[in-house]
Amino acid sequence: MAQIKPSLAKGTRDFSPLEMERRNYIFNTIKDVFRKYGYQEIQTPSFENLQTLTGKYGEEGDKLIFKILNSGDFISKISAEKFATLHSNSITPLIAEKALRYDLTVPFARYVVMHQNEITLPFKRFQIQPVWRADRPQRGRYREFYQCDADVVGSESLLNEAEFILVYQEALSSLGLKDFVIKLNNRKLLAGIADIIGKPELLIDMTVAIDKLDKIGLVGVKQELAAKGFSTEELAMLDPIITLSGSNVDKLATLKEVLKSSEMGQKGIEEIEMVLAYAQKLDANALPYIEVDITLARGLNYYTGSIFEVKTNEVSMGSIGGGGRYDDLTGMFGLPGLTGVGISFGADRIYDVLLELDLFPESTTKTTQVLVTNFDQSTEDYALSLLQTLRKNGIASELYPVAAKLKKQLTYADQKKIPYVIFIGAEELSSGMLTIKKMITGEQEKMAADDLFSYLINTADPN
RNA sequence: GUGGUUUUAGCUCAGUUGGUUAGAGCGCCUGAUUGUGGUUCAGGAGGUCGUGGGUUCGAGCCCCAUAUUCCACCCCA
């Protein structure tokens, strides 16, 4: 067989022991907070029926779904006439029936519908699994990455939203992040803005343009909006929205005034106020992290109410979390009238941020505690029983698997940071006194096997 | 998907206008030490220069294609 140069698929990574330890640190921290707020873990398959996923993420999102080619001779199942009329888009459902999951929310909606008789509402679940996107990789953007999602379905209370803000605040603070902002917006408020300008189709263009205020300034924003088709009068009407600033309370007061003719807009403002009120009652310390931001649109099609996004100000990185409320995601799977709201942590981005800020705790992984040396066949037999006795006493131990030079065995212990090495050679065998070497100090002493056990049980770290 | 960028030893990187045998540091292996690691000293191995074409007497260097990395859009975690 021809040799193949080893390489990773674009946008994927291996995780070595140290990286896994750090990744698990992130996962465990987030999990602990999820559990504390009453969420239970589930998992769903890596791939779903393509139908389950398509049409949920918008046009751009659909393009980024990794499709799985059907098995077998799928071409022969398409008639020649039909084949001639096909283009790459319309052929996809014919040759790919499955696809890798794009996020955890849609599979969760599917799960809820399929398990509706087993679950009691409100159902609070969390899920930590990889998702895949056929995007072009970049800093903080991978084609395979882990999301940590918490969602609750069957409760329209805005307390859920407020609790999610606290989950964000608590988890990120536990991870050592200090300067981050949880952005809060509401689709109803955006709809209200669309109401008053009477051009709902330009809503997206508008939020995108307003979002650039820092970069291109008020004049630039207005130019861009004019280019998109806004009249001078409309721009005047939008002025207070474009220049919206100040505290959350200030912003909401301005919006209330501007959107007073829009029922939908008022509803959006009320919802934001309610979320903030709940958050304050739960923990007023969380309030400074919350920023009402009307430019937060979020592409995901299914959001209908609150929208969240989390960014850190400590390093340059896209959002490290996002979420929102979806009123009818399960409706697409035949269970209408069930509202849900959820958030997601981008574990891989959080990893990159923590690494850059040097916020990972010192390695705490328990490695092997004792290495038993291997001199030759006769000593190996004795060493084997000693080895297993150590293990039965809960001490992580290993025997060097072949009789090698002591130098080599010690180098191995050194590199693996094994704190104790037990020498069993001819000398030890005949005297019955084993030599134990403490690698950190280099000192060594002789003791009988029984004394050695009690010594190690008392001093070595169990695993 | 659009535009740009990167790729040379296990790792991080030098490499002149296109000119003999492509270098360094770290790491690795061997020895100084046949029962002693982390320090030191001596020696050694390791490269189809991302891949495939092309130009040239001659290509790591120039041209084309392709993969990959990172960056800016788009979008997103």
Side-chain angles (χ1 to χ4, degrees):
Chain A
M1 204 157 103
Q3 285 250 334
I4 293 179
K5 192 176 183 179
S7 63
L8 288 170
K10 187 198 278 201
T12 65
R13 295 142 308 146
D14 287 327
F15 301 117
S16 294
L18 178 64
E19 290 166 310
M20 277 314 299
E21 186 191 337
R22 291 173 165 173
R23 290 174 64 82
N24 284 329
Y25 161 72
I26 294 174
F27 293 142
N28 291 334
T29 304
I30 293 173
K31 262 188 206 180
D32 287 348
V33 179
F34 283 167
R35 289 209 180 92
K36 206 196 303 182
Y37 281 79
Y39 292 82
Q40 293 178 296
E41 183 164 23
I42 70 160
Q43 291 206 332
T44 63
S46 304
F47 56 94
E48 296 271 351
N49 291 321
L50 180 58
Q51 260 189 307
T52 303
L53 305 181
T54 45
K56 312 293 189 301
Y57 309 110
E59 206 179 321
E60 286 299 313
D62 279 3
K63 283 186 204 157
L64 300 180
I65 296 173
F66 271 109
K67 284 100 184 167
I68 299 172
L69 205 54
N70 288 349
S71 314
D73 187 6
F74 49 82
I75 291 287
S76 69
K77 292 174 186 159
I78 306 171
S79 68
E81 309 89 75
K82 199 168 181 186
F83 195 86
T85 66
L86 291 169
H87 51 283
S88 53
N89 278 340
S90 65
I91 202 171
T92 305
L94 298 175
I95 63 171
E97 290 162 356
K98 304 172 287 300
L100 292 174
R101 78 164 99 73
Y102 178 90
D103 73 353
L104 301 178
T105 308
V106 169
F108 173 55
R110 193 225 77 225
Y111 172 94
V112 167
V113 175
M114 289 184 69
H115 297 264
Q116 51 185 287
N117 295 326
E118 303 157 32
I119 61 183
T120 41
L121 299 178
F123 181 54
K124 300 170 83 169
R125 85 88 175 76
F126 78 87
Q127 188 170 353
I128 297 179
Q129 287 190 277
V131 302
W132 293 268
R133 295 187 188 173
D135 215 342
R136 191 180 284 209
Q138 248 184 70
R139 172 184 168 84
R141 174 180 295 184
Y142 307 98
R143 296 180 117 184
E144 177 184 61
F145 61 97
Y146 277 68
Q147 288 193 328
C148 313
D149 273 35
D151 285 78
V152 48
V153 292
S155 166
E156 56 189 21
S157 168
L158 294 164
L159 172 61
N160 297 303
E161 269 92 335
E163 286 200 345
F164 281 135
I165 288 173
L166 291 184
V167 167
Y168 269 138
Q169 190 267 322
E170 210 171 314
L172 296 176
S173 296
S174 303
L175 289 168
L177 294 179
K178 298 210 159 56
D179 186 8
F180 56 88
V181 54
I182 302 162
K183 294 187 178 185
L184 177 64
N185 195 11
N186 195 294
R187 271 281 162 91
K188 289 172 186 143
L189 194 156
L190 291 174
I193 296 172
D195 272 355
I196 64 154
I197 60 174
K199 289 184 174 173
E201 72 280 2
L202 289 181
L203 181 64
I204 300 293
D205 287 337
M206 192 196 74
T207 55
V208 167
I210 297 176
D211 195 29
K212 293 181 186 164
L213 190 61
D214 303 350
K215 282 186 195 165
I216 60 180
L218 184 58
V219 178
V221 172
K222 288 194 168 179
Q223 275 172 358
E224 183 161 330
L225 287 172
K228 294 287 183 187
F230 285 89
S231 69
T232 316
E233 298 81 59
E234 285 162 346
L235 284 178
M237 200 165 18
L238 286 176
D239 217 53
I241 294 178
I242 301 172
T243 57
L244 195 67
S245 63
S247 69
N248 291 335
V249 173
D250 294 342
K251 287 179 183 173
L252 290 169
T254 306
L255 287 168
K256 237 181 226 173
E257 184 59 28
V258 176
L259 296 179
K260 62 177 175 235
S261 64
S262 165
E263 202 179 316
M264 189 64 101
Q266 292 298 327
K267 183 90 173 78
I269 294 168
E270 275 168 34
E271 290 193 6
I272 293 178
E273 284 177 334
M274 184 73 93
V275 172
L276 292 175
Y278 266 128
Q280 171 145 36
K281 286 178 200 165
L282 286 165
D283 185 355
N285 294 327
L287 285 185
Y289 292 96
I290 309 172
E291 181 188 315
V292 172
D293 180 359
I294 58 150
T295 66
L296 178 59
R298 294 192 58 79
L300 290 175
N301 270 3
Y302 46 70
Y303 291 132
T304 51
S306 305
I307 315 174
F308 308 106
E309 185 164 291
V310 185
K311 293 199 75 170
T312 169
N313 294 321
E314 294 176 270
V315 300
S316 160
M317 176 66 69
S319 59
I320 55 176
R325 181 173 286 273
Y326 39 91
D327 277 336
D328 201 29
L329 195 50
T330 57
M332 305 183 92
F333 300 115
L335 182 59
L338 193 59
T339 184
V341 57
I343 55 166
S344 180
F345 288 82
D348 303 77
R349 284 188 177 173
I350 292 171
Y351 181 99
D352 291 345
V353 169
L354 296 190
L355 192 66
E356 198 165 324
L357 296 175
D358 198 20
L359 288 177
F360 281 111
E362 227 173 286
S363 176
T364 52
T365 298
K366 296 282 189 286
T367 177
T368 303
Q369 289 297 300
V370 178
L371 177 76
V372 181
T373 58
N374 193 333
F375 281 89
D376 54 43
Q377 189 61 52
S378 64
T379 57
E380 187 184 279
D381 289 346
Y382 179 83
L384 281 172
S385 69
L386 177 89
L387 175 71
Q388 211 53 23
T389 309
L390 284 169
R391 288 173 175 164
K392 278 176 182 155
N393 281 290
I395 297 166
S397 319
E398 52 185 306
L399 171 69
Y400 199 83
V402 291
K405 282 188 179 165
L406 197 54
K407 180 186 170 75
K408 195 159 186 165
Q409 301 190 39
L410 283 166
T411 302
Y412 175 80
D414 191 47
Q415 291 205 337
K416 209 168 165 180
K417 300 213 177 345
I418 299 174
Y420 299 97
V421 176
I422 296 175
F423 292 38
I424 303 175
E427 197 184 301
E428 284 79 7
L429 218 51
S430 62
S431 70
M433 299 293 277
L434 307 181
T435 303
I436 180 165
K437 182 182 177 83
K438 277 171 107 168
M439 293 299 280
I440 298 159
T441 59
E443 60 193 358
Q444 53 191 65
E445 55 184 305
K446 296 198 170 204
M447 52 179 91
D450 287 345
D451 296 335
L452 189 63
F453 292 138
S454 49
Y455 174 77
L456 285 172
I457 289 165
N458 290 328
T459 55
D461 279 326
N463 264 8

